[in-house]
Amino acid sequence: AAPRVIVVGGGFGGTAAARALVRSGIAATLIEPSTLYATCPSSNAVIAGLMPMSAITFGYDGVRRAGVTVVHDTVTAIDADARRIGLAGGQSLAYDRLVVSAGIGLRFDAIPGYDAAASATIPHAWKAGAQTALLARQIAAMEDGGLVVLTVPALPYRCPPGPYERAGLIAHVLKTRKPRSKVIVLDAKDSFSKQPLFQAAWTALYPDHIEWVPLGKGGRLDSVDAAARTLRAEAGLFRPAVINVVPPQTAPRLCIEAGLANAGDWCPVDPITFESALRPGIHVIGDAAAAGAMPKSAFSAFAQAQVCAGAVADLLAGRAPPEPKLINVCYSLAAPDYGFSIAGVYRPEWDRLVTVPGSDGLSPEDASPALRAREADLGRAWFAGMTRQLFG
Ligand code: FAD
């Protein structure tokens, strides 16, 4: 009989894996609850009013046209021994190989006062969609002179440079439309991804509109009072007009309940096949995977999907999967015409993925405005190309 391969999660990793499986001649079923997927990449531009929500929202018609069977339902349980999954709609499906790319879980128990109910008025906007639109509305409605506070967790979390891109694009709105306002970044760390590039941009573009408060200067968030709309951090009490809390993260609940995550809250995998180190027959890719040196990005999820789909095809055919090399590139904006990037190549070493020495590339610190503008355009071209490959 034809092998049954099921992919869980129709985001970057899952959609890419399902399409790659179909390209290699394997019938793949993709399970995703939502009929529309809003991308986190480019969502910071939506929050800053530079793009409409519709520009980051995609349906699954193109995925179906590519030959993937798409089922809109939620996976509620994975039985690794019986090789079956249960769906919220009541169905139970058997698989030979399962690929899970279910994203992240947000820890609503980590910051006193910041739970799921609080996120209805104090957005995290770390899963795109309604949360993105809510934060965009709050920024647009804020009066001049208001304070925006953005809080950032310790690593690891989805998209290491994402909070700093967001801070810069919010500062761009403030500088151009609400010049007496300011954004304060309360950070649970003392350093961050692409820090010299971000900080040089902020000094040049937003000297009066961004303040970064690292851990060592009191950046740790202690509690949130959603009713009073205040924050307590080590640095003091804040009463912002707009609050954006990015909470600490874990693998999603489905992965934790299925026994795919370890004590570190993420899912250990074989770096050649992305098969779970804990549950045979199940592959975990994307943000939920503990992928060593690879950052949690859409580009990483896409690269892992290609490797994983190839490995699944090999394993089903009784072949040994080859040692892969994986690439990640992350573009960030500091302003609509000011971009930069970080790149790396990764390969397996023992049980993890490591950076290939000398492969990591960073935009130069002394680039001309023309190069910054070109990198901003390259970032937009990456987004257009990636979403066309996934959903087109
Ligand atoms: P997701 O894309 O989140 O997909 C997971 C899917 O699984 C979801 O559609 C969800 O509905 C589904 N799902 C969850 N649970 C279940 C279940 N039980 N049953 C069925 N389906 C389920 N990355 C970049 O490379 N470049 C960028 O510029 C960039 N910018 C970013 C900006 C921001 C503000 C943020 C927050 C992130 C950004 N990222 C960027 C990171 C990127 O969004 C993630 O790394 C990427 O989405 C991870 O893909 P994934 O497949 O693991 O998860």
Side-chain angles (χ1 to χ4, degrees):
R4 294 157 302 181
V5 179
I6 298 178
V7 181
V8 183
F12 279 91
T15 304
R19 294 186 77 144
L21 285 161
V22 166
R23 274 199 306 275
S24 59
I26 294 169
T29 300
L30 178 66
I31 318 245
E32 161 63 45
S34 179
T35 56
L36 292 174
Y37 177 76
T39 64
C40 284
S42 291
S43 68
N44 287 332
V46 174
I47 287 164
L50 302 167
M51 283 164 77
M53 261 319 281
S54 60
I56 62 163
T57 307
F58 300 87
Y60 289 90
D61 289 350
V63 183
R64 288 198 174 84
R65 273 196 304 273
V68 176
T69 303
V70 182
V71 175
H72 290 300
D73 209 331
T74 302
V75 178
T76 49
I78 301 173
D79 184 336
D81 297 327
R83 298 208 172 199
R84 296 193 80 87
I85 58 168
L87 302 182
Q91 250 186 311
S92 158
L93 300 176
Y95 64 82
D96 296 300
R97 292 259 161 200
L98 186 70
V99 178
V100 179
S101 192
I104 52 167
L106 299 169
R107 280 198 56 193
F108 283 125
D109 59 349
I111 302 160
Y114 194 70
D115 54 13
S119 75
T121 52
I122 297 179
H124 50 79
W126 221 243
K127 293 185 179 182
Q131 282 276 310
T132 313
L134 175 62
L135 183 56
R137 279 199 304 277
Q138 292 183 354
I139 298 282
M142 188 181 82
E143 287 184 8
D144 192 8
L147 173 66
V148 181
V149 173
L150 162 58
T151 77
V152 189
L155 288 165
Y157 59 88
R158 156 177 286 183
C159 195
Y164 311 97
E165 176 181 78
R166 181 172 292 176
L169 291 181
I170 290 174
H172 171 76
V173 180
L174 305 185
K175 181 181 164 182
T176 48
R177 294 214 292 276
K178 305 171 202 269
R180 293 186 298 112
S181 309
K182 181 175 173 178
V183 53
I184 293 181
V185 182
L186 295 176
D187 206 329
K189 318 185 273 312
D190 282 317
S191 62
F192 59 88
S193 173
K194 298 187 253 193
Q195 183 172 352
L197 290 164
F198 276 112
Q199 286 187 315
W202 296 347
T203 304
L205 301 172
Y206 315 119
D208 304 323
H209 294 102
I210 294 192
E211 186 185 336
W212 175 61
V213 184
L215 180 65
K217 295 265 168 62
R220 196 192 61 225
L221 175 62
D222 288 333
S223 63
V224 176
D225 185 334
R229 296 194 67 83
T230 57
L231 293 179
R232 186 165 287 286
E234 216 188 333
L237 183 73
F238 292 84
R239 210 175 285 282
V242 177
I243 307 174
N244 176 199
V245 174
V246 180
Q249 296 151 35
T250 62
R253 197 171 59 187
L254 176 70
C255 294
I256 293 172
E257 287 175 358
L260 293 163
N262 63 17
D265 285 337
W266 303 97
C267 303
V269 292
D270 177 308
I272 296 179
T273 60
F274 288 86
E275 184 163 2
S276 166
L278 305 175
R279 294 281 184 270
I282 303 176
H283 301 249
V284 182
I285 58 173
D287 289 351
M294 282 194 98
K296 298 186 184 304
S297 75
F299 202 124
S300 292
F302 180 84
Q304 293 166 7
Q306 311 310 315
V307 169
C308 177
V312 166
D314 284 337
L315 291 169
L316 289 170
R319 295 184 298 258
E323 277 230 350
K325 278 214 176 68
L326 299 99
I327 300 177
N328 175 62
V329 184
C330 277
Y331 293 95
S332 297
L333 291 174
D337 60 352
Y338 192 122
F340 38 77
S341 60
I342 186 166
V345 183
Y346 305 88
R347 65 168 166 73
E349 192 173 287
W350 296 103
D351 61 346
R352 60 195 310 268
L353 287 158
V354 299
T355 307
V356 173
S359 72
D360 38 342
L362 195 61
S363 302
E365 281 183 36
D366 57 355
S368 64
L371 184 64
R372 297 286 189 236
R374 190 168 146 64
E375 285 225 82
D377 284 340
L378 284 172
R380 283 184 281 267
W382 171 80
F383 179 75
M386 175 60 71
T387 51
R388 201 177 316 115
Q389 281 184 75
L390 289 187
F391 298 105

